[in-house]
Amino acid sequence: MVDLSQYLPILLFLGIALVLSSAFVFLPMIAARFTGAHRPNPEKLSEYECGFPAFEDPRSQFDVRFYLVAILFIVFDLEAAFIYPWAVSVFSLGWTAWISMMVFIAELALGLVYAWKKGALDWE
Protein backbone atom coordinates (compact mmCIF):
# COMPACT_ATOMS: atom_id res chain seq x y z
CA MET A 1 0.00 0.00 0.00
CA VAL A 2 1.24 3.50 -0.87
CA ASP A 3 1.94 5.93 1.95
CA LEU A 4 0.12 9.11 0.88
CA SER A 5 1.48 11.17 3.77
CA GLN A 6 4.63 11.79 1.72
CA TYR A 7 2.56 13.95 -0.63
CA LEU A 8 1.44 16.29 2.17
CA PRO A 9 4.30 18.82 1.69
CA ILE A 10 3.54 19.01 -2.02
CA LEU A 11 -0.15 19.59 -1.35
CA LEU A 12 0.68 22.27 1.23
CA PHE A 13 3.00 23.97 -1.25
CA LEU A 14 0.34 23.90 -3.97
CA GLY A 15 -2.26 25.24 -1.53
CA ILE A 16 -0.03 28.13 -0.47
CA ALA A 17 0.80 28.87 -4.13
CA LEU A 18 -2.90 28.90 -5.00
CA VAL A 19 -3.75 31.24 -2.11
CA LEU A 20 -0.91 33.64 -2.91
CA SER A 21 -1.62 33.73 -6.65
CA SER A 22 -5.30 34.33 -5.98
CA ALA A 23 -4.39 37.12 -3.58
CA PHE A 24 -2.16 38.77 -6.18
CA VAL A 25 -5.00 38.66 -8.69
CA PHE A 26 -8.02 39.58 -6.58
CA LEU A 27 -6.66 41.97 -3.93
CA PRO A 28 -5.79 44.71 -6.47
CA MET A 29 -9.29 44.38 -7.93
CA ILE A 30 -10.84 44.76 -4.49
CA ALA A 31 -8.58 47.71 -3.68
CA ALA A 32 -9.60 49.36 -6.97
CA ARG A 33 -13.27 49.02 -6.04
CA PHE A 34 -12.72 50.70 -2.68
CA THR A 35 -10.54 53.52 -4.03
CA GLY A 36 -12.70 54.31 -7.07
CA ALA A 37 -9.98 53.43 -9.58
CA HIS A 38 -12.32 51.09 -11.45
CA ARG A 39 -14.48 53.88 -12.90
CA PRO A 40 -13.45 54.45 -16.52
CA ASN A 41 -13.68 57.89 -18.06
CA PRO A 42 -12.36 59.41 -21.30
CA GLU A 43 -9.22 60.69 -19.59
CA LYS A 44 -8.34 57.22 -18.27
CA LEU A 45 -9.09 55.57 -21.60
CA SER A 46 -6.94 57.96 -23.64
CA GLU A 47 -3.57 57.05 -25.15
CA TYR A 48 -0.75 57.24 -22.66
CA GLU A 49 2.30 55.88 -24.44
CA CYS A 50 3.34 59.02 -26.31
CA GLY A 51 0.75 61.53 -25.21
CA PHE A 52 -1.02 61.75 -28.55
CA PRO A 53 -3.25 59.43 -30.61
CA ALA A 54 -1.61 56.83 -32.83
CA PHE A 55 -0.94 57.77 -36.46
CA GLU A 56 -2.08 54.47 -37.90
CA ASP A 57 -3.84 51.24 -37.03
CA PRO A 58 -2.08 49.55 -34.10
CA ARG A 59 -2.53 46.17 -35.80
CA SER A 60 -0.30 47.09 -38.74
CA GLN A 61 2.25 44.56 -39.91
CA PHE A 62 5.88 44.72 -38.85
CA ASP A 63 8.68 44.65 -41.34
CA VAL A 64 9.95 41.12 -41.90
CA ARG A 65 13.47 42.21 -40.90
CA PHE A 66 12.23 42.69 -37.36
CA TYR A 67 11.37 39.00 -37.20
CA LEU A 68 14.68 38.01 -38.78
CA VAL A 69 16.60 39.94 -36.15
CA ALA A 70 14.46 38.35 -33.42
CA ILE A 71 15.12 34.87 -34.80
CA LEU A 72 18.84 35.58 -35.01
CA PHE A 73 18.80 36.75 -31.41
CA ILE A 74 17.09 33.53 -30.32
CA VAL A 75 19.55 31.39 -32.29
CA PHE A 76 22.61 33.04 -30.78
CA ASP A 77 21.04 33.11 -27.34
CA LEU A 78 20.57 29.35 -27.60
CA GLU A 79 24.15 29.08 -28.74
CA ALA A 80 25.28 30.66 -25.49
CA ALA A 81 22.99 28.34 -23.56
CA PHE A 82 24.59 25.30 -25.22
CA ILE A 83 28.17 26.52 -25.02
CA TYR A 84 28.21 27.22 -21.28
CA PRO A 85 27.57 23.64 -20.06
CA TRP A 86 29.90 22.34 -22.74
CA ALA A 87 32.67 24.68 -21.61
CA VAL A 88 32.26 23.58 -18.01
CA SER A 89 32.67 19.89 -18.87
CA VAL A 90 34.83 19.97 -22.01
CA PHE A 91 37.92 18.50 -20.35
CA SER A 92 36.06 15.45 -19.09
CA LEU A 93 34.19 14.82 -22.35
CA GLY A 94 37.16 14.39 -24.67
CA TRP A 95 37.89 15.18 -28.28
CA THR A 96 34.57 13.97 -29.64
CA ALA A 97 32.69 16.64 -27.68
CA TRP A 98 35.21 19.29 -28.75
CA ILE A 99 34.89 18.40 -32.43
CA SER A 100 31.08 18.28 -32.27
CA MET A 101 30.97 21.73 -30.65
CA MET A 102 33.30 23.13 -33.31
CA VAL A 103 30.94 21.76 -35.98
CA PHE A 104 28.02 23.37 -34.13
CA ILE A 105 29.81 26.74 -33.95
CA ALA A 106 30.78 26.49 -37.62
CA GLU A 107 27.14 25.91 -38.57
CA LEU A 108 26.08 28.94 -36.57
CA ALA A 109 28.83 31.04 -38.12
CA LEU A 110 27.70 29.90 -41.56
CA GLY A 111 24.14 30.91 -40.67
CA LEU A 112 25.36 34.33 -39.50
CA VAL A 113 27.27 34.85 -42.76
CA TYR A 114 24.17 33.84 -44.74
CA ALA A 115 21.96 36.26 -42.78
CA TRP A 116 24.54 39.00 -43.17
CA LYS A 117 24.75 38.46 -46.95
CA LYS A 118 20.94 38.44 -47.24
CA GLY A 119 20.80 41.80 -45.45
CA ALA A 120 18.96 40.60 -42.36
CA LEU A 121 21.25 42.67 -40.15
CA ASP A 122 20.95 45.89 -42.21
CA TRP A 123 18.42 48.28 -40.79
CA GLU A 124 17.22 51.35 -42.68
mmCIF file of all heavy atoms in Angstrom, residues 35-68:
data_model
loop_
_atom_site.group_PDB
_atom_site.id
_atom_site.type_symbol
_atom_site.label_atom_id
_atom_site.label_comp_id
_atom_site.label_asym_id
_atom_site.label_seq_id
_atom_site.Cartn_x
_atom_site.Cartn_y
_atom_site.Cartn_z
ATOM 1 N N THR A 35 -11.164 52.210 -3.795
ATOM 2 C CA THR A 35 -10.545 53.522 -4.031
ATOM 3 C C THR A 35 -11.164 54.269 -5.195
ATOM 4 O O THR A 35 -10.827 55.422 -5.443
ATOM 5 C CB THR A 35 -9.042 53.361 -4.294
ATOM 6 O OG1 THR A 35 -8.864 52.552 -5.459
ATOM 7 C CG2 THR A 35 -8.341 52.754 -3.110
ATOM 8 N N GLY A 36 -12.054 53.636 -5.949
ATOM 9 C CA GLY A 36 -12.698 54.311 -7.067
ATOM 10 C C GLY A 36 -11.879 54.270 -8.338
ATOM 11 O O GLY A 36 -12.189 54.972 -9.297
ATOM 12 N N ALA A 37 -10.827 53.480 -8.391
ATOM 13 C CA ALA A 37 -9.978 53.425 -9.577
ATOM 14 C C ALA A 37 -10.605 52.616 -10.697
ATOM 15 O O ALA A 37 -10.104 52.625 -11.812
ATOM 16 C CB ALA A 37 -8.624 52.832 -9.211
ATOM 17 N N HIS A 38 -11.705 51.945 -10.432
ATOM 18 C CA HIS A 38 -12.318 51.087 -11.453
ATOM 19 C C HIS A 38 -13.243 51.860 -12.386
ATOM 20 O O HIS A 38 -13.703 51.321 -13.370
ATOM 21 C CB HIS A 38 -13.102 49.955 -10.785
ATOM 22 C CG HIS A 38 -14.365 50.408 -10.142
ATOM 23 N ND1 HIS A 38 -14.373 51.074 -8.947
ATOM 24 C CD2 HIS A 38 -15.659 50.307 -10.552
ATOM 25 C CE1 HIS A 38 -15.625 51.365 -8.632
ATOM 26 N NE2 HIS A 38 -16.421 50.911 -9.581
ATOM 27 N N ARG A 39 -13.539 53.109 -12.091
ATOM 28 C CA ARG A 39 -14.485 53.880 -12.896
ATOM 29 C C ARG A 39 -13.793 54.451 -14.136
ATOM 30 O O ARG A 39 -13.003 55.384 -14.036
ATOM 31 C CB ARG A 39 -15.063 55.017 -12.068
ATOM 32 C CG ARG A 39 -15.917 54.537 -10.926
ATOM 33 C CD ARG A 39 -16.599 55.688 -10.216
ATOM 34 N NE ARG A 39 -16.956 55.223 -8.890
ATOM 35 C CZ ARG A 39 -16.474 55.726 -7.769
ATOM 36 N NH1 ARG A 39 -15.627 56.723 -7.801
ATOM 37 N NH2 ARG A 39 -16.852 55.242 -6.602
ATOM 38 N N PRO A 40 -14.097 53.921 -15.316
ATOM 39 C CA PRO A 40 -13.452 54.449 -16.522
ATOM 40 C C PRO A 40 -14.050 55.788 -16.931
ATOM 41 O O PRO A 40 -15.235 56.048 -16.733
ATOM 42 C CB PRO A 40 -13.721 53.377 -17.570
ATOM 43 C CG PRO A 40 -14.954 52.690 -17.102
ATOM 44 C CD PRO A 40 -14.946 52.774 -15.592
ATOM 45 N N ASN A 41 -13.234 56.638 -17.486
ATOM 46 C CA ASN A 41 -13.682 57.894 -18.063
ATOM 47 C C ASN A 41 -12.802 58.190 -19.280
ATOM 48 O O ASN A 41 -11.791 57.503 -19.487
ATOM 49 C CB ASN A 41 -13.665 59.035 -17.030
ATOM 50 C CG ASN A 41 -12.284 59.288 -16.477
ATOM 51 O OD1 ASN A 41 -11.279 59.098 -17.154
ATOM 52 N ND2 ASN A 41 -12.234 59.732 -15.227
ATOM 53 N N PRO A 42 -13.153 59.157 -20.087
ATOM 54 C CA PRO A 42 -12.360 59.409 -21.301
ATOM 55 C C PRO A 42 -10.896 59.716 -21.016
ATOM 56 O O PRO A 42 -10.023 59.356 -21.799
ATOM 57 C CB PRO A 42 -13.057 60.608 -21.943
ATOM 58 C CG PRO A 42 -14.447 60.555 -21.440
ATOM 59 C CD PRO A 42 -14.362 59.982 -20.052
ATOM 60 N N GLU A 43 -10.616 60.361 -19.916
ATOM 61 C CA GLU A 43 -9.220 60.687 -19.592
ATOM 62 C C GLU A 43 -8.421 59.420 -19.290
ATOM 63 O O GLU A 43 -7.275 59.283 -19.694
ATOM 64 C CB GLU A 43 -9.183 61.629 -18.387
ATOM 65 C CG GLU A 43 -7.830 62.238 -18.130
ATOM 66 C CD GLU A 43 -7.407 63.181 -19.242
ATOM 67 O OE1 GLU A 43 -8.277 63.808 -19.865
ATOM 68 O OE2 GLU A 43 -6.193 63.268 -19.480
ATOM 69 N N LYS A 44 -9.037 58.474 -18.588
ATOM 70 C CA LYS A 44 -8.341 57.223 -18.270
ATOM 71 C C LYS A 44 -8.186 56.335 -19.503
ATOM 72 O O LYS A 44 -7.238 55.570 -19.599
ATOM 73 C CB LYS A 44 -9.104 56.438 -17.198
ATOM 74 C CG LYS A 44 -8.954 56.987 -15.819
ATOM 75 C CD LYS A 44 -9.650 56.062 -14.854
ATOM 76 C CE LYS A 44 -9.668 56.604 -13.462
ATOM 77 N NZ LYS A 44 -10.387 55.720 -12.553
ATOM 78 N N LEU A 45 -9.126 56.426 -20.421
ATOM 79 C CA LEU A 45 -9.090 55.566 -21.596
ATOM 80 C C LEU A 45 -8.271 56.152 -22.744
ATOM 81 O O LEU A 45 -8.144 55.538 -23.791
ATOM 82 C CB LEU A 45 -10.521 55.291 -22.079
ATOM 83 C CG LEU A 45 -11.410 54.532 -21.088
ATOM 84 C CD1 LEU A 45 -12.823 54.416 -21.629
ATOM 85 C CD2 LEU A 45 -10.830 53.169 -20.788
ATOM 86 N N SER A 46 -7.708 57.332 -22.560
ATOM 87 C CA SER A 46 -6.939 57.959 -23.639
ATOM 88 C C SER A 46 -5.562 57.306 -23.781
ATOM 89 O O SER A 46 -5.114 56.569 -22.905
ATOM 90 C CB SER A 46 -6.784 59.457 -23.361
ATOM 91 O OG SER A 46 -5.996 59.629 -22.204
ATOM 92 N N GLU A 47 -4.890 57.608 -24.900
ATOM 93 C CA GLU A 47 -3.565 57.055 -25.153
ATOM 94 C C GLU A 47 -2.577 57.620 -24.148
ATOM 95 O O GLU A 47 -2.603 58.798 -23.823
ATOM 96 C CB GLU A 47 -3.101 57.398 -26.576
ATOM 97 C CG GLU A 47 -3.930 56.761 -27.661
ATOM 98 C CD GLU A 47 -5.190 57.537 -27.979
ATOM 99 O OE1 GLU A 47 -5.350 58.644 -27.463
ATOM 100 O OE2 GLU A 47 -6.025 57.022 -28.730
ATOM 101 N N TYR A 48 -1.704 56.787 -23.678
ATOM 102 C CA TYR A 48 -0.751 57.243 -22.662
ATOM 103 C C TYR A 48 0.686 56.904 -23.002
ATOM 104 O O TYR A 48 1.589 57.230 -22.267
ATOM 105 C CB TYR A 48 -1.095 56.647 -21.296
ATOM 106 C CG TYR A 48 -1.098 55.141 -21.265
ATOM 107 C CD1 TYR A 48 0.051 54.426 -20.961
ATOM 108 C CD2 TYR A 48 -2.248 54.440 -21.549
ATOM 109 C CE1 TYR A 48 0.038 53.049 -20.937
ATOM 110 C CE2 TYR A 48 -2.270 53.070 -21.539
ATOM 111 C CZ TYR A 48 -1.120 52.376 -21.216
ATOM 112 O OH TYR A 48 -1.131 51.020 -21.191
ATOM 113 N N GLU A 49 0.928 56.248 -24.117
ATOM 114 C CA GLU A 49 2.298 55.884 -24.444
ATOM 115 C C GLU A 49 3.108 57.097 -24.861
ATOM 116 O O GLU A 49 4.202 57.326 -24.368
ATOM 117 C CB GLU A 49 2.324 54.836 -25.553
ATOM 118 C CG GLU A 49 1.889 53.477 -25.077
ATOM 119 C CD GLU A 49 2.003 52.440 -26.174
ATOM 120 O OE1 GLU A 49 2.682 52.716 -27.160
ATOM 121 O OE2 GLU A 49 1.405 51.373 -26.021
ATOM 122 N N CYS A 50 2.588 57.874 -25.801
ATOM 123 C CA CYS A 50 3.341 59.018 -26.314
ATOM 124 C C CYS A 50 2.664 60.344 -25.996
ATOM 125 O O CYS A 50 3.239 61.393 -26.230
ATOM 126 C CB CYS A 50 3.496 58.894 -27.823
ATOM 127 S SG CYS A 50 4.378 57.425 -28.321
ATOM 128 N N GLY A 51 1.440 60.299 -25.525
ATOM 129 C CA GLY A 51 0.745 61.530 -25.212
ATOM 130 C C GLY A 51 -0.149 62.019 -26.320
ATOM 131 O O GLY A 51 -0.819 63.032 -26.169
ATOM 132 N N PHE A 52 -0.146 61.357 -27.456
ATOM 133 C CA PHE A 52 -1.017 61.753 -28.553
ATOM 134 C C PHE A 52 -1.549 60.502 -29.238
ATOM 135 O O PHE A 52 -0.954 59.432 -29.137
ATOM 136 C CB PHE A 52 -0.304 62.660 -29.556
ATOM 137 C CG PHE A 52 0.997 62.106 -30.053
ATOM 138 C CD1 PHE A 52 1.040 61.250 -31.141
ATOM 139 C CD2 PHE A 52 2.193 62.442 -29.429
ATOM 140 C CE1 PHE A 52 2.228 60.747 -31.602
ATOM 141 C CE2 PHE A 52 3.379 61.948 -29.880
ATOM 142 C CZ PHE A 52 3.408 61.089 -30.972
ATOM 143 N N PRO A 53 -2.669 60.608 -29.953
ATOM 144 C CA PRO A 53 -3.251 59.427 -30.611
ATOM 145 C C PRO A 53 -2.292 58.824 -31.638
ATOM 146 O O PRO A 53 -1.445 59.507 -32.207
ATOM 147 C CB PRO A 53 -4.508 59.969 -31.297
ATOM 148 C CG PRO A 53 -4.810 61.237 -30.584
ATOM 149 C CD PRO A 53 -3.504 61.788 -30.113
ATOM 150 N N ALA A 54 -2.467 57.543 -31.879
ATOM 151 C CA ALA A 54 -1.613 56.834 -32.835
ATOM 152 C C ALA A 54 -1.861 57.338 -34.248
ATOM 153 O O ALA A 54 -2.972 57.745 -34.598
ATOM 154 C CB ALA A 54 -1.869 55.341 -32.748
ATOM 155 N N PHE A 55 -0.816 57.317 -35.075
ATOM 156 C CA PHE A 55 -0.936 57.769 -36.460
ATOM 157 C C PHE A 55 -1.679 56.777 -37.336
ATOM 158 O O PHE A 55 -2.359 57.138 -38.268
ATOM 159 C CB PHE A 55 0.451 58.006 -37.066
ATOM 160 C CG PHE A 55 1.171 59.156 -36.443
ATOM 161 C CD1 PHE A 55 2.403 58.967 -35.873
ATOM 162 C CD2 PHE A 55 0.621 60.416 -36.423
ATOM 163 C CE1 PHE A 55 3.087 60.015 -35.302
ATOM 164 C CE2 PHE A 55 1.286 61.480 -35.851
ATOM 165 C CZ PHE A 55 2.528 61.272 -35.290
ATOM 166 N N GLU A 56 -1.508 55.497 -37.048
ATOM 167 C CA GLU A 56 -2.084 54.465 -37.904
ATOM 168 C C GLU A 56 -2.686 53.371 -37.047
ATOM 169 O O GLU A 56 -2.649 53.422 -35.827
ATOM 170 C CB GLU A 56 -1.013 53.902 -38.838
ATOM 171 C CG GLU A 56 0.176 53.344 -38.097
ATOM 172 C CD GLU A 56 1.318 52.987 -39.046
ATOM 173 O OE1 GLU A 56 1.481 53.659 -40.059
ATOM 174 O OE2 GLU A 56 2.015 52.023 -38.737
ATOM 175 N N ASP A 57 -3.227 52.373 -37.710
ATOM 176 C CA ASP A 57 -3.843 51.238 -37.030
ATOM 177 C C ASP A 57 -2.796 50.498 -36.192
ATOM 178 O O ASP A 57 -1.722 50.165 -36.695
ATOM 179 C CB ASP A 57 -4.457 50.297 -38.065
ATOM 180 C CG ASP A 57 -5.189 49.144 -37.429
ATOM 181 O OD1 ASP A 57 -5.650 49.288 -36.287
ATOM 182 O OD2 ASP A 57 -5.320 48.087 -38.088
ATOM 183 N N PRO A 58 -3.073 50.231 -34.926
ATOM 184 C CA PRO A 58 -2.082 49.545 -34.099
ATOM 185 C C PRO A 58 -1.848 48.099 -34.517
ATOM 186 O O PRO A 58 -0.880 47.485 -34.092
ATOM 187 C CB PRO A 58 -2.670 49.606 -32.691
ATOM 188 C CG PRO A 58 -4.106 49.891 -32.865
ATOM 189 C CD PRO A 58 -4.242 50.616 -34.157
ATOM 190 N N ARG A 59 -2.696 47.553 -35.349
ATOM 191 C CA ARG A 59 -2.527 46.171 -35.796
ATOM 192 C C ARG A 59 -1.807 46.086 -37.137
ATOM 193 O O ARG A 59 -1.949 45.139 -37.876
ATOM 194 C CB ARG A 59 -3.880 45.491 -35.897
ATOM 195 C CG ARG A 59 -4.524 45.320 -34.549
ATOM 196 C CD ARG A 59 -5.723 44.407 -34.635
ATOM 197 N NE ARG A 59 -6.268 44.204 -33.317
ATOM 198 C CZ ARG A 59 -7.345 44.810 -32.847
ATOM 199 N NH1 ARG A 59 -7.980 45.671 -33.602
ATOM 200 N NH2 ARG A 59 -7.772 44.559 -31.639
ATOM 201 N N SER A 60 -1.039 47.118 -37.475
ATOM 202 C CA SER A 60 -0.301 47.087 -38.740
ATOM 203 C C SER A 60 0.818 46.065 -38.677
ATOM 204 O O SER A 60 1.305 45.715 -37.599
ATOM 205 C CB SER A 60 0.267 48.473 -39.039
ATOM 206 O OG SER A 60 1.197 48.825 -38.040
ATOM 207 N N GLN A 61 1.237 45.596 -39.838
ATOM 208 C CA GLN A 61 2.250 44.564 -39.907
ATOM 209 C C GLN A 61 3.640 45.152 -39.679
ATOM 210 O O GLN A 61 3.926 46.270 -40.098
ATOM 211 C CB GLN A 61 2.207 43.867 -41.261
ATOM 212 C CG GLN A 61 0.960 43.048 -41.463
ATOM 213 C CD GLN A 61 0.978 42.328 -42.803
ATOM 214 O OE1 GLN A 61 1.779 42.619 -43.654
ATOM 215 N NE2 GLN A 61 0.072 41.395 -42.959
ATOM 216 N N PHE A 62 4.492 44.351 -39.034
ATOM 217 C CA PHE A 62 5.884 44.724 -38.852
ATOM 218 C C PHE A 62 6.666 44.353 -40.097
ATOM 219 O O PHE A 62 6.280 43.455 -40.846
ATOM 220 C CB PHE A 62 6.495 43.989 -37.657
ATOM 221 C CG PHE A 62 6.097 44.548 -36.334
ATOM 222 C CD1 PHE A 62 5.116 43.927 -35.576
ATOM 223 C CD2 PHE A 62 6.690 45.684 -35.845
ATOM 224 C CE1 PHE A 62 4.741 44.423 -34.358
ATOM 225 C CE2 PHE A 62 6.327 46.193 -34.624
ATOM 226 C CZ PHE A 62 5.352 45.566 -33.872
ATOM 227 N N ASP A 63 7.774 45.012 -40.267
ATOM 228 C CA ASP A 63 8.684 44.652 -41.338
ATOM 229 C C ASP A 63 9.271 43.277 -41.049
ATOM 230 O O ASP A 63 9.539 42.927 -39.905
ATOM 231 C CB ASP A 63 9.798 45.700 -41.429
ATOM 232 C CG ASP A 63 10.615 45.548 -42.682
ATOM 233 O OD1 ASP A 63 10.269 44.697 -43.525
ATOM 234 O OD2 ASP A 63 11.606 46.292 -42.824
ATOM 235 N N VAL A 64 9.453 42.482 -42.068
ATOM 236 C CA VAL A 64 9.950 41.124 -41.901
ATOM 237 C C VAL A 64 11.349 41.119 -41.281
ATOM 238 O O VAL A 64 11.717 40.179 -40.593
ATOM 239 C CB VAL A 64 9.913 40.403 -43.267
ATOM 240 C CG1 VAL A 64 11.244 39.966 -43.761
ATOM 241 C CG2 VAL A 64 9.000 39.220 -43.210
ATOM 242 N N ARG A 65 12.119 42.158 -41.468
ATOM 243 C CA ARG A 65 13.471 42.208 -40.896
ATOM 244 C C ARG A 65 13.434 42.213 -39.373
ATOM 245 O O ARG A 65 14.353 41.729 -38.730
ATOM 246 C CB ARG A 65 14.217 43.427 -41.426
ATOM 247 C CG ARG A 65 14.603 43.269 -42.878
ATOM 248 C CD ARG A 65 15.206 44.511 -43.402
ATOM 249 N NE ARG A 65 14.125 45.498 -43.514
ATOM 250 C CZ ARG A 65 14.265 46.682 -44.042
ATOM 251 N NH1 ARG A 65 15.408 47.066 -44.490
ATOM 252 N NH2 ARG A 65 13.250 47.506 -44.124
ATOM 253 N N PHE A 66 12.366 42.743 -38.807
ATOM 254 C CA PHE A 66 12.226 42.691 -37.359
ATOM 255 C C PHE A 66 12.200 41.247 -36.881
ATOM 256 O O PHE A 66 12.865 40.877 -35.917
ATOM 257 C CB PHE A 66 10.943 43.414 -36.934
ATOM 258 C CG PHE A 66 10.617 43.237 -35.488
ATOM 259 C CD1 PHE A 66 11.281 43.977 -34.523
ATOM 260 C CD2 PHE A 66 9.656 42.330 -35.077
ATOM 261 C CE1 PHE A 66 10.994 43.816 -33.186
ATOM 262 C CE2 PHE A 66 9.360 42.169 -33.742
ATOM 263 C CZ PHE A 66 10.028 42.919 -32.797
ATOM 264 N N TYR A 67 11.453 40.405 -37.575
ATOM 265 C CA TYR A 67 11.368 38.997 -37.205
ATOM 266 C C TYR A 67 12.686 38.280 -37.445
ATOM 267 O O TYR A 67 13.073 37.400 -36.681
ATOM 268 C CB TYR A 67 10.229 38.311 -37.968
ATOM 269 C CG TYR A 67 8.883 38.902 -37.639
ATOM 270 C CD1 TYR A 67 8.191 39.665 -38.558
ATOM 271 C CD2 TYR A 67 8.321 38.700 -36.383
ATOM 272 C CE1 TYR A 67 6.966 40.209 -38.250
ATOM 273 C CE2 TYR A 67 7.085 39.239 -36.070
ATOM 274 C CZ TYR A 67 6.412 39.991 -37.006
ATOM 275 O OH TYR A 67 5.211 40.522 -36.689
ATOM 276 N N LEU A 68 13.385 38.636 -38.508
ATOM 277 C CA LEU A 68 14.680 38.013 -38.778
ATOM 278 C C LEU A 68 15.682 38.333 -37.682
ATOM 279 O O LEU A 68 16.428 37.453 -37.227
ATOM 280 C CB LEU A 68 15.211 38.468 -40.138
ATOM 281 C CG LEU A 68 14.441 37.971 -41.346
ATOM 282 C CD1 LEU A 68 15.003 38.586 -42.621
ATOM 283 C CD2 LEU A 68 14.481 36.469 -41.427
#
